[in-house]
Amino acid sequence: MLSTQSSIKSLISAIALAGCVLTGLSVRSLAQSNPGLVLWSGVKRENILRYHLDFNGAPNYWDRYRLRIPKKKLELGVAQFSISYPDYYDGKFDVDKIEVRVDGKSIPVSEVVWDKENYSLQIYMEEPVPAKQNVELVLSNVKNPDGGTYYFVCYVLASGDIPLPTYVGTWIVSIGR
């Protein structure tokens, strides 16, 4: 009787341990898909934008960033996207490999300017992106930094007579976490 109880306890312990390990692995794989659970970021929950790193955000390796903007954030047509990032981000961007996708379809970009001194990327559109569309900014051939958490802040300039920069949201990108 005693050996049956200890066998059951050992089995339950093994199942619990396996469950913890599997849960930890699945959380690790989801960590590079979106901001996940953010408790103290200083960014309001409704302003946190989703993203995906195609090659898992490994430090000092090449990656592709998919920075997503939901249609509810784009009230007006967009002539320019502006992304600012922190001064401690030491990754590298390939401006020739940046594209804008609207509802999954690539649309023409007029010019991309990487302003290294002011820590920003400016993406100018050939034609304005229509309002109320899901947008994905795809940054290919990005060399990831050493690792850490980086706030990529997005502003858009609406198409029209007086283009005013409008805050859209923030991607909280984790590299090597």
Side-chain angles (χ1 to χ4, degrees), residues 25-37 48-57 63-68 136 171-175 177:
L25 290 175
S26 66
V27 167
R28 169 74 177 139
S29 67
L30 290 174
Q32 303 306 327
S33 309
N34 61 56
L37 179 63
I48 297 175
L49 301 173
R50 299 178 72 76
Y51 70 93
H52 181 76
L53 304 179
D54 282 358
F55 304 110
N56 299 320
D63 216 325
R64 180 180 302 120
Y65 296 10
R66 295 177 184 274
L67 308 175
R68 297 177 176 137
E136 183 177 61
W171 296 283
I172 303 174
V173 178
S174 294
I175 304 294
R177 303 260 181 223

Side-chain angles (χ1 to χ4, degrees), residues 8-173:
I8 291 174
K9 285 182 181 179
S10 296
L11 179 64
I12 290 173
S13 296
I15 291 171
L17 181 60
C20 290
V21 168
L22 290 175
T23 301
L25 290 175
S26 66
V27 167
R28 169 74 177 139
S29 67
L30 290 174
Q32 303 306 327
S33 309
N34 61 56
L37 179 63
V38 179
L39 297 176
W40 298 284
S41 69
V43 179
K44 291 182 181 179
R45 180 180 307 258
E46 63 268 14
N47 291 329
I48 297 175
L49 301 173
R50 299 178 72 76
Y51 70 93
H52 181 76
L53 304 179
D54 282 358
F55 304 110
N56 299 320
N60 298 311
Y61 282 92
W62 296 99
D63 216 325
R64 180 180 302 120
Y65 296 10
R66 295 177 184 274
L67 308 175
R68 297 177 176 137
I69 304 171
K71 60 184 168 185
K72 68 180 181 181
K73 292 283 191 172
L74 300 177
E75 298 288 328
L76 302 170
V78 177
Q80 176 189 343
F81 294 92
S82 177
I83 302 169
S84 64
Y85 56 90
D87 59 355
Y88 57 89
Y89 177 87
D90 60 351
K92 293 182 175 38
F93 301 104
D94 183 347
V95 295
D96 296 325
K97 297 291 183 175
I98 293 177
E99 68 177 304
V100 176
R101 294 183 181 169
V102 175
D103 290 326
K105 295 181 182 179
S106 186
I107 60 171
V109 172
S110 149
E111 181 183 18
V112 177
V113 177
W114 180 16
D115 185 350
K116 295 175 187 175
E117 289 81 34
N118 292 309
Y119 313 104
S120 70
L121 281 171
Q122 310 298 323
I123 304 170
Y124 299 92
M125 304 308 300
E126 277 187 19
E127 296 290 325
V129 173
K132 300 288 187 183
Q133 300 292 317
N134 290 316
V135 172
E136 183 177 61
L137 307 176
V138 181
L139 286 58
S140 297
N141 290 347
V142 176
K143 177 74 178 216
N144 285 332
D146 291 336
T149 300
Y150 306 94
Y151 287 44
F152 283 57
V153 180
C154 182
Y155 287 89
V156 296
L157 270 83
S159 54
D161 295 337
I162 305 173
L164 296 172
T166 304
Y167 173 72
V168 173
T170 302
W171 296 283
I172 303 174
V173 178

